[in-house]
Amino acid sequence: SLFWAMILMFLFVYGSAVFLCQMLQPSVADPSLSMDLRKWIFRYYGSASRSFWTLFEITFSGGWPSYARRLIEEVHWTFALFFAAYVWIVVFAVTRIITALFLKDTMQVADEDQEMMLRAQLVKKEQYTRKLRELFAIADDSGDGTISLEEFKEVAKLSKVQLYFNALDLQIPEVCELFEMLDNGDGSVSYDEFCAGILRLKGHARAMDVVSTMRDCRAILNKCTELERRVDALAMALCGCMPSDAALTPTVSHRKSGGSKRAFHVQRSI
């Protein structure tokens, strides 16, 4: 679409240039016009090539009044109609249409690049998952679809497994810690649990987990601060309701008068 729009622009410019060249040929030979004006007309519109270059500058330079005013004022006023139509149709409408098509093609190419990046990321993730599956198969000596921590520790000593972890940008202690976290108490971890946990240790997922943990810590700290403030306010309120000569430590007095009576006086000062 962009190519054909540019072809349409070329036809508009070239057709207008030929039209102006033919219309101004009598003016170049008109003795009633001044020699300076005739030379000016010939310089800008004397041939098809000169006229085409002039229309090209009018279209893309934005200085069209300097090329049109002498024709309108000194040759004939009807050239104002031609230049008004040319500016409205070609300079304004067609140029902006071509710009819009160019932006559309550019955005389409950018979308295709983004799709290619997404496909590349999916392929990379599939390769990563396949390596994890191979690693899990090596660690699963029993073939029951689960691995124990002992099995993993034994297979982690193999150089091939260490190369796998280096290729996955992981460290053995991290995976051991993850294994303990994923273990639900039966001493074994399935492939899905193992793969999901390993993926959380890599790249942006790890950074997101850190940010999430920091957010939760800030929320807990705010709750603790609010709880401390309320406890202090409650303690101050209780302190104001107690007698002023109460003891600083808890005291218990037992008094018996006619029967067994017990009274507790407890005072805590903060």
Side-chain angles (χ1 to χ4, degrees), residues 78-114:
T78 54
F79 284 103
L81 301 177
F82 168 82
F83 282 104
Y86 183 84
V87 170
W88 286 340
I89 297 174
V90 179
V91 177
F92 181 77
V94 179
T95 303
R96 279 155 180 78
I97 290 173
I98 292 177
T99 303
L101 292 174
F102 179 77
L103 291 176
K104 178 183 176 182
D105 292 344
T106 303
M107 296 300 295
Q108 184 176 359
V109 172
D111 292 338
E112 292 177 356
D113 292 341
Q114 187 175 6

mmCIF file of all heavy atoms in Angstrom, residues 78-114:
data_model
loop_
_atom_site.group_PDB
_atom_site.id
_atom_site.type_symbol
_atom_site.label_atom_id
_atom_site.label_comp_id
_atom_site.label_asym_id
_atom_site.label_seq_id
_atom_site.Cartn_x
_atom_site.Cartn_y
_atom_site.Cartn_z
ATOM 1 N N THR A 78 -6.006 33.197 -12.052
ATOM 2 C CA THR A 78 -6.546 31.834 -12.061
ATOM 3 C C THR A 78 -5.528 30.798 -11.578
ATOM 4 O O THR A 78 -5.918 29.681 -11.214
ATOM 5 C CB THR A 78 -7.008 31.463 -13.482
ATOM 6 O OG1 THR A 78 -5.937 31.675 -14.402
ATOM 7 C CG2 THR A 78 -8.207 32.305 -13.890
ATOM 8 N N PHE A 79 -4.248 31.171 -11.561
ATOM 9 C CA PHE A 79 -3.266 30.230 -11.017
ATOM 10 C C PHE A 79 -3.472 30.014 -9.520
ATOM 11 O O PHE A 79 -2.992 29.020 -8.962
ATOM 12 C CB PHE A 79 -1.848 30.743 -11.284
ATOM 13 C CG PHE A 79 -1.411 30.555 -12.706
ATOM 14 C CD1 PHE A 79 -1.390 31.630 -13.582
ATOM 15 C CD2 PHE A 79 -1.026 29.311 -13.168
ATOM 16 C CE1 PHE A 79 -0.992 31.466 -14.890
ATOM 17 C CE2 PHE A 79 -0.621 29.140 -14.484
ATOM 18 C CZ PHE A 79 -0.605 30.215 -15.354
ATOM 19 N N ALA A 80 -4.177 30.933 -8.869
ATOM 20 C CA ALA A 80 -4.498 30.746 -7.452
ATOM 21 C C ALA A 80 -5.388 29.520 -7.256
ATOM 22 O O ALA A 80 -5.243 28.786 -6.269
ATOM 23 C CB ALA A 80 -5.172 31.988 -6.893
ATOM 24 N N LEU A 81 -6.309 29.303 -8.207
ATOM 25 C CA LEU A 81 -7.158 28.113 -8.109
ATOM 26 C C LEU A 81 -6.335 26.830 -8.224
ATOM 27 O O LEU A 81 -6.552 25.863 -7.480
ATOM 28 C CB LEU A 81 -8.222 28.162 -9.195
ATOM 29 C CG LEU A 81 -9.150 29.388 -9.172
ATOM 30 C CD1 LEU A 81 -10.118 29.347 -10.345
ATOM 31 C CD2 LEU A 81 -9.905 29.462 -7.845
ATOM 32 N N PHE A 82 -5.381 26.826 -9.154
ATOM 33 C CA PHE A 82 -4.551 25.636 -9.336
ATOM 34 C C PHE A 82 -3.734 25.347 -8.082
ATOM 35 O O PHE A 82 -3.712 24.212 -7.582
ATOM 36 C CB PHE A 82 -3.623 25.822 -10.539
ATOM 37 C CG PHE A 82 -2.555 24.770 -10.624
ATOM 38 C CD1 PHE A 82 -2.832 23.542 -11.176
ATOM 39 C CD2 PHE A 82 -1.274 25.014 -10.131
ATOM 40 C CE1 PHE A 82 -1.855 22.560 -11.245
ATOM 41 C CE2 PHE A 82 -0.299 24.045 -10.191
ATOM 42 C CZ PHE A 82 -0.589 22.817 -10.754
ATOM 43 N N PHE A 83 -3.062 26.365 -7.544
ATOM 44 C CA PHE A 83 -2.207 26.132 -6.388
ATOM 45 C C PHE A 83 -3.021 25.805 -5.143
ATOM 46 O O PHE A 83 -2.585 24.999 -4.298
ATOM 47 C CB PHE A 83 -1.308 27.340 -6.131
ATOM 48 C CG PHE A 83 -0.134 27.422 -7.053
ATOM 49 C CD1 PHE A 83 -0.119 28.325 -8.108
ATOM 50 C CD2 PHE A 83 0.949 26.580 -6.887
ATOM 51 C CE1 PHE A 83 0.969 28.395 -8.969
ATOM 52 C CE2 PHE A 83 2.045 26.644 -7.744
ATOM 53 C CZ PHE A 83 2.053 27.551 -8.789
ATOM 54 N N ALA A 84 -4.207 26.404 -5.010
ATOM 55 C CA ALA A 84 -5.061 26.062 -3.871
ATOM 56 C C ALA A 84 -5.481 24.596 -3.930
ATOM 57 O O ALA A 84 -5.410 23.869 -2.930
ATOM 58 C CB ALA A 84 -6.279 26.968 -3.844
ATOM 59 N N ALA A 85 -5.896 24.143 -5.106
ATOM 60 C CA ALA A 85 -6.287 22.736 -5.258
ATOM 61 C C ALA A 85 -5.095 21.805 -5.042
ATOM 62 O O ALA A 85 -5.212 20.752 -4.401
ATOM 63 C CB ALA A 85 -6.896 22.516 -6.639
ATOM 64 N N TYR A 86 -3.922 22.195 -5.551
ATOM 65 C CA TYR A 86 -2.739 21.349 -5.423
ATOM 66 C C TYR A 86 -2.326 21.219 -3.953
ATOM 67 O O TYR A 86 -1.996 20.125 -3.482
ATOM 68 C CB TYR A 86 -1.590 21.930 -6.248
ATOM 69 C CG TYR A 86 -0.345 21.083 -6.229
ATOM 70 C CD1 TYR A 86 -0.211 20.016 -7.111
ATOM 71 C CD2 TYR A 86 0.681 21.344 -5.340
ATOM 72 C CE1 TYR A 86 0.922 19.228 -7.081
ATOM 73 C CE2 TYR A 86 1.810 20.556 -5.307
ATOM 74 C CZ TYR A 86 1.937 19.496 -6.181
ATOM 75 O OH TYR A 86 3.057 18.710 -6.152
ATOM 76 N N VAL A 87 -2.338 22.347 -3.237
ATOM 77 C CA VAL A 87 -1.943 22.304 -1.831
ATOM 78 C C VAL A 87 -2.931 21.482 -1.024
ATOM 79 O O VAL A 87 -2.541 20.666 -0.170
ATOM 80 C CB VAL A 87 -1.810 23.733 -1.275
ATOM 81 C CG1 VAL A 87 -1.630 23.712 0.243
ATOM 82 C CG2 VAL A 87 -0.648 24.450 -1.932
ATOM 83 N N TRP A 88 -4.221 21.658 -1.259
ATOM 84 C CA TRP A 88 -5.218 20.909 -0.497
ATOM 85 C C TRP A 88 -5.144 19.401 -0.773
ATOM 86 O O TRP A 88 -5.196 18.598 0.158
ATOM 87 C CB TRP A 88 -6.622 21.418 -0.830
ATOM 88 C CG TRP A 88 -6.929 22.748 -0.220
ATOM 89 C CD1 TRP A 88 -6.317 23.328 0.834
ATOM 90 C CD2 TRP A 88 -7.933 23.659 -0.663
ATOM 91 N NE1 TRP A 88 -6.863 24.560 1.085
ATOM 92 C CE2 TRP A 88 -7.875 24.802 0.184
ATOM 93 C CE3 TRP A 88 -8.876 23.659 -1.684
ATOM 94 C CZ2 TRP A 88 -8.707 25.890 0.047
ATOM 95 C CZ3 TRP A 88 -9.719 24.738 -1.816
ATOM 96 C CH2 TRP A 88 -9.640 25.850 -0.968
ATOM 97 N N ILE A 89 -5.022 19.054 -2.050
ATOM 98 C CA ILE A 89 -5.088 17.637 -2.414
ATOM 99 C C ILE A 89 -3.749 16.938 -2.195
ATOM 100 O O ILE A 89 -3.682 15.887 -1.561
ATOM 101 C CB ILE A 89 -5.548 17.491 -3.880
ATOM 102 C CG1 ILE A 89 -6.968 18.047 -4.036
ATOM 103 C CG2 ILE A 89 -5.498 16.035 -4.311
ATOM 104 C CD1 ILE A 89 -7.448 18.075 -5.477
ATOM 105 N N VAL A 90 -2.671 17.511 -2.732
ATOM 106 C CA VAL A 90 -1.386 16.817 -2.732
ATOM 107 C C VAL A 90 -0.602 17.092 -1.454
ATOM 108 O O VAL A 90 -0.204 16.174 -0.730
ATOM 109 C CB VAL A 90 -0.572 17.203 -3.981
ATOM 110 C CG1 VAL A 90 0.776 16.496 -3.967
ATOM 111 C CG2 VAL A 90 -1.331 16.861 -5.249
ATOM 112 N N VAL A 91 -0.362 18.391 -1.189
ATOM 113 C CA VAL A 91 0.499 18.737 -0.060
ATOM 114 C C VAL A 91 -0.137 18.324 1.267
ATOM 115 O O VAL A 91 0.555 17.826 2.168
ATOM 116 C CB VAL A 91 0.814 20.244 -0.068
ATOM 117 C CG1 VAL A 91 1.647 20.634 1.151
ATOM 118 C CG2 VAL A 91 1.539 20.618 -1.357
ATOM 119 N N PHE A 92 -1.456 18.511 1.388
ATOM 120 C CA PHE A 92 -2.109 18.218 2.663
ATOM 121 C C PHE A 92 -2.619 16.775 2.722
ATOM 122 O O PHE A 92 -2.198 15.991 3.589
ATOM 123 C CB PHE A 92 -3.266 19.187 2.891
ATOM 124 C CG PHE A 92 -3.982 18.975 4.195
ATOM 125 C CD1 PHE A 92 -3.426 19.417 5.387
ATOM 126 C CD2 PHE A 92 -5.202 18.320 4.234
ATOM 127 C CE1 PHE A 92 -4.079 19.218 6.582
ATOM 128 C CE2 PHE A 92 -5.857 18.112 5.427
ATOM 129 C CZ PHE A 92 -5.298 18.564 6.610
ATOM 130 N N ALA A 93 -3.503 16.398 1.796
ATOM 131 C CA ALA A 93 -4.187 15.108 1.910
ATOM 132 C C ALA A 93 -3.277 13.929 1.568
ATOM 133 O O ALA A 93 -3.074 13.019 2.378
ATOM 134 C CB ALA A 93 -5.422 15.102 1.015
ATOM 135 N N VAL A 94 -2.716 13.923 0.361
ATOM 136 C CA VAL A 94 -1.944 12.758 -0.085
ATOM 137 C C VAL A 94 -0.699 12.557 0.781
ATOM 138 O O VAL A 94 -0.347 11.427 1.124
ATOM 139 C CB VAL A 94 -1.568 12.918 -1.575
ATOM 140 C CG1 VAL A 94 -0.736 11.737 -2.047
ATOM 141 C CG2 VAL A 94 -2.820 13.063 -2.430
ATOM 142 N N THR A 95 -0.032 13.652 1.145
ATOM 143 C CA THR A 95 1.168 13.520 1.974
ATOM 144 C C THR A 95 0.849 12.904 3.320
ATOM 145 O O THR A 95 1.587 12.031 3.813
ATOM 146 C CB THR A 95 1.820 14.902 2.174
ATOM 147 O OG1 THR A 95 2.123 15.470 0.895
ATOM 148 C CG2 THR A 95 3.093 14.782 2.988
ATOM 149 N N ARG A 96 -0.238 13.307 3.918
ATOM 150 C CA ARG A 96 -0.600 12.742 5.218
ATOM 151 C C ARG A 96 -1.083 11.308 5.101
ATOM 152 O O ARG A 96 -0.891 10.496 6.021
ATOM 153 C CB ARG A 96 -1.654 13.621 5.880
ATOM 154 C CG ARG A 96 -1.015 14.828 6.558
ATOM 155 C CD ARG A 96 -1.958 15.995 6.691
ATOM 156 N NE ARG A 96 -1.289 17.115 7.342
ATOM 157 C CZ ARG A 96 -0.423 17.938 6.734
ATOM 158 N NH1 ARG A 96 -0.129 17.746 5.460
ATOM 159 N NH2 ARG A 96 0.151 18.928 7.394
ATOM 160 N N ILE A 97 -1.712 10.984 3.991
ATOM 161 C CA ILE A 97 -2.101 9.591 3.777
ATOM 162 C C ILE A 97 -0.867 8.702 3.679
ATOM 163 O O ILE A 97 -0.803 7.612 4.264
ATOM 164 C CB ILE A 97 -2.972 9.466 2.515
ATOM 165 C CG1 ILE A 97 -4.344 10.114 2.760
ATOM 166 C CG2 ILE A 97 -3.150 8.004 2.115
ATOM 167 C CD1 ILE A 97 -5.205 10.177 1.528
ATOM 168 N N ILE A 98 0.142 9.172 2.945
ATOM 169 C CA ILE A 98 1.386 8.400 2.829
ATOM 170 C C ILE A 98 2.068 8.274 4.187
ATOM 171 O O ILE A 98 2.605 7.218 4.539
ATOM 172 C CB ILE A 98 2.319 9.063 1.797
ATOM 173 C CG1 ILE A 98 1.713 8.939 0.387
ATOM 174 C CG2 ILE A 98 3.700 8.447 1.837
ATOM 175 C CD1 ILE A 98 2.523 9.613 -0.684
ATOM 176 N N THR A 99 2.044 9.346 4.979
ATOM 177 C CA THR A 99 2.633 9.288 6.320
ATOM 178 C C THR A 99 1.911 8.266 7.193
ATOM 179 O O THR A 99 2.549 7.482 7.913
ATOM 180 C CB THR A 99 2.578 10.669 6.983
ATOM 181 O OG1 THR A 99 3.255 11.624 6.159
ATOM 182 C CG2 THR A 99 3.227 10.640 8.358
ATOM 183 N N ALA A 100 0.579 8.252 7.110
ATOM 184 C CA ALA A 100 -0.189 7.286 7.891
ATOM 185 C C ALA A 100 0.111 5.855 7.448
ATOM 186 O O ALA A 100 0.243 4.944 8.282
ATOM 187 C CB ALA A 100 -1.679 7.577 7.759
ATOM 188 N N LEU A 101 0.222 5.635 6.136
ATOM 189 C CA LEU A 101 0.551 4.295 5.643
ATOM 190 C C LEU A 101 1.949 3.882 6.080
ATOM 191 O O LEU A 101 2.188 2.707 6.417
ATOM 192 C CB LEU A 101 0.438 4.272 4.117
ATOM 193 C CG LEU A 101 -0.976 4.429 3.548
ATOM 194 C CD1 LEU A 101 -0.934 4.537 2.029
ATOM 195 C CD2 LEU A 101 -1.850 3.255 3.965
ATOM 196 N N PHE A 102 2.874 4.847 6.063
ATOM 197 C CA PHE A 102 4.232 4.540 6.511
ATOM 198 C C PHE A 102 4.245 4.136 7.992
ATOM 199 O O PHE A 102 4.913 3.168 8.379
ATOM 200 C CB PHE A 102 5.132 5.750 6.283
ATOM 201 C CG PHE A 102 6.547 5.556 6.725
ATOM 202 C CD1 PHE A 102 7.433 4.820 5.968
ATOM 203 C CD2 PHE A 102 6.986 6.105 7.924
ATOM 204 C CE1 PHE A 102 8.740 4.629 6.387
ATOM 205 C CE2 PHE A 102 8.288 5.928 8.349
ATOM 206 C CZ PHE A 102 9.164 5.185 7.566
ATOM 207 N N LEU A 103 3.503 4.875 8.820
ATOM 208 C CA LEU A 103 3.426 4.532 10.235
ATOM 209 C C LEU A 103 2.751 3.173 10.433
ATOM 210 O O LEU A 103 3.162 2.389 11.302
ATOM 211 C CB LEU A 103 2.657 5.616 10.994
ATOM 212 C CG LEU A 103 3.352 6.976 11.114
ATOM 213 C CD1 LEU A 103 2.435 7.977 11.796
ATOM 214 C CD2 LEU A 103 4.657 6.847 11.887
ATOM 215 N N LYS A 104 1.731 2.886 9.633
ATOM 216 C CA LYS A 104 1.055 1.599 9.737
ATOM 217 C C LYS A 104 2.013 0.461 9.418
ATOM 218 O O LYS A 104 2.066 -0.546 10.144
ATOM 219 C CB LYS A 104 -0.133 1.577 8.780
ATOM 220 C CG LYS A 104 -0.878 0.254 8.776
ATOM 221 C CD LYS A 104 -1.997 0.257 7.753
ATOM 222 C CE LYS A 104 -2.681 -1.098 7.687
ATOM 223 N NZ LYS A 104 -3.757 -1.121 6.652
ATOM 224 N N ASP A 105 2.770 0.594 8.327
ATOM 225 C CA ASP A 105 3.738 -0.445 7.973
ATOM 226 C C ASP A 105 4.816 -0.582 9.046
ATOM 227 O O ASP A 105 5.253 -1.690 9.369
ATOM 228 C CB ASP A 105 4.385 -0.123 6.624
ATOM 229 C CG ASP A 105 3.400 -0.222 5.477
ATOM 230 O OD1 ASP A 105 2.324 -0.828 5.679
ATOM 231 O OD2 ASP A 105 3.690 0.305 4.384
ATOM 232 N N THR A 106 5.244 0.556 9.621
ATOM 233 C CA THR A 106 6.257 0.507 10.670
ATOM 234 C C THR A 106 5.741 -0.217 11.908
ATOM 235 O O THR A 106 6.441 -1.056 12.495
ATOM 236 C CB THR A 106 6.700 1.935 11.048
ATOM 237 O OG1 THR A 106 7.182 2.604 9.881
ATOM 238 C CG2 THR A 106 7.790 1.900 12.108
ATOM 239 N N MET A 107 4.508 0.094 12.317
ATOM 240 C CA MET A 107 3.932 -0.585 13.468
ATOM 241 C C MET A 107 3.723 -2.065 13.189
ATOM 242 O O MET A 107 3.890 -2.910 14.085
ATOM 243 C CB MET A 107 2.598 0.079 13.842
ATOM 244 C CG MET A 107 2.731 1.511 14.305
ATOM 245 S SD MET A 107 3.774 1.684 15.770
ATOM 246 C CE MET A 107 2.784 0.808 16.971
ATOM 247 N N GLN A 108 3.368 -2.405 11.959
ATOM 248 C CA GLN A 108 3.188 -3.809 11.605
ATOM 249 C C GLN A 108 4.509 -4.564 11.705
ATOM 250 O O GLN A 108 4.562 -5.682 12.221
ATOM 251 C CB GLN A 108 2.618 -3.918 10.189
ATOM 252 C CG GLN A 108 2.306 -5.349 9.763
ATOM 253 C CD GLN A 108 1.663 -5.396 8.393
ATOM 254 O OE1 GLN A 108 1.427 -4.359 7.768
ATOM 255 N NE2 GLN A 108 1.379 -6.591 7.931
ATOM 256 N N VAL A 109 5.588 -3.940 11.216
ATOM 257 C CA VAL A 109 6.902 -4.571 11.327
ATOM 258 C C VAL A 109 7.307 -4.727 12.788
ATOM 259 O O VAL A 109 7.871 -5.750 13.190
ATOM 260 C CB VAL A 109 7.950 -3.749 10.547
ATOM 261 C CG1 VAL A 109 9.354 -4.281 10.810
ATOM 262 C CG2 VAL A 109 7.660 -3.776 9.057
ATOM 263 N N ALA A 110 7.008 -3.689 13.602
ATOM 264 C CA ALA A 110 7.329 -3.780 15.032
ATOM 265 C C ALA A 110 6.542 -4.905 15.698
ATOM 266 O O ALA A 110 7.095 -5.637 16.544
ATOM 267 C CB ALA A 110 7.033 -2.452 15.718
ATOM 268 N N ASP A 111 5.274 -5.073 15.341
ATOM 269 C CA ASP A 111 4.476 -6.164 15.896
ATOM 270 C C ASP A 111 5.036 -7.517 15.484
ATOM 271 O O ASP A 111 5.073 -8.467 16.279
ATOM 272 C CB ASP A 111 3.021 -6.041 15.448
ATOM 273 C CG ASP A 111 2.333 -4.833 16.065
ATOM 274 O OD1 ASP A 111 2.805 -4.362 17.114
ATOM 275 O OD2 ASP A 111 1.332 -4.366 15.490
ATOM 276 N N GLU A 112 5.465 -7.613 14.231
ATOM 277 C CA GLU A 112 6.061 -8.868 13.769
ATOM 278 C C GLU A 112 7.352 -9.167 14.530
ATOM 279 O O GLU A 112 7.609 -10.320 14.893
ATOM 280 C CB GLU A 112 6.321 -8.797 12.272
ATOM 281 C CG GLU A 112 5.058 -8.761 11.425
ATOM 282 C CD GLU A 112 5.354 -8.605 9.941
ATOM 283 O OE1 GLU A 112 6.544 -8.454 9.606
ATOM 284 O OE2 GLU A 112 4.414 -8.654 9.133
ATOM 285 N N ASP A 113 8.155 -8.117 14.783
ATOM 286 C CA ASP A 113 9.368 -8.319 15.569
ATOM 287 C C ASP A 113 9.043 -8.782 16.983
ATOM 288 O O ASP A 113 9.724 -9.645 17.544
ATOM 289 C CB ASP A 113 10.188 -7.030 15.616
ATOM 290 C CG ASP A 113 10.777 -6.667 14.260
ATOM 291 O OD1 ASP A 113 10.858 -7.562 13.392
ATOM 292 O OD2 ASP A 113 11.145 -5.486 14.067
ATOM 293 N N GLN A 114 7.989 -8.203 17.557
ATOM 294 C CA GLN A 114 7.602 -8.610 18.905
ATOM 295 C C GLN A 114 7.124 -10.060 18.911
ATOM 296 O O GLN A 114 7.434 -10.823 19.836
ATOM 297 C CB GLN A 114 6.509 -7.686 19.432
ATOM 298 C CG GLN A 114 6.145 -7.928 20.891
ATOM 299 C CD GLN A 114 5.159 -6.910 21.402
ATOM 300 O OE1 GLN A 114 4.658 -6.085 20.642
ATOM 301 N NE2 GLN A 114 4.853 -6.958 22.686
#
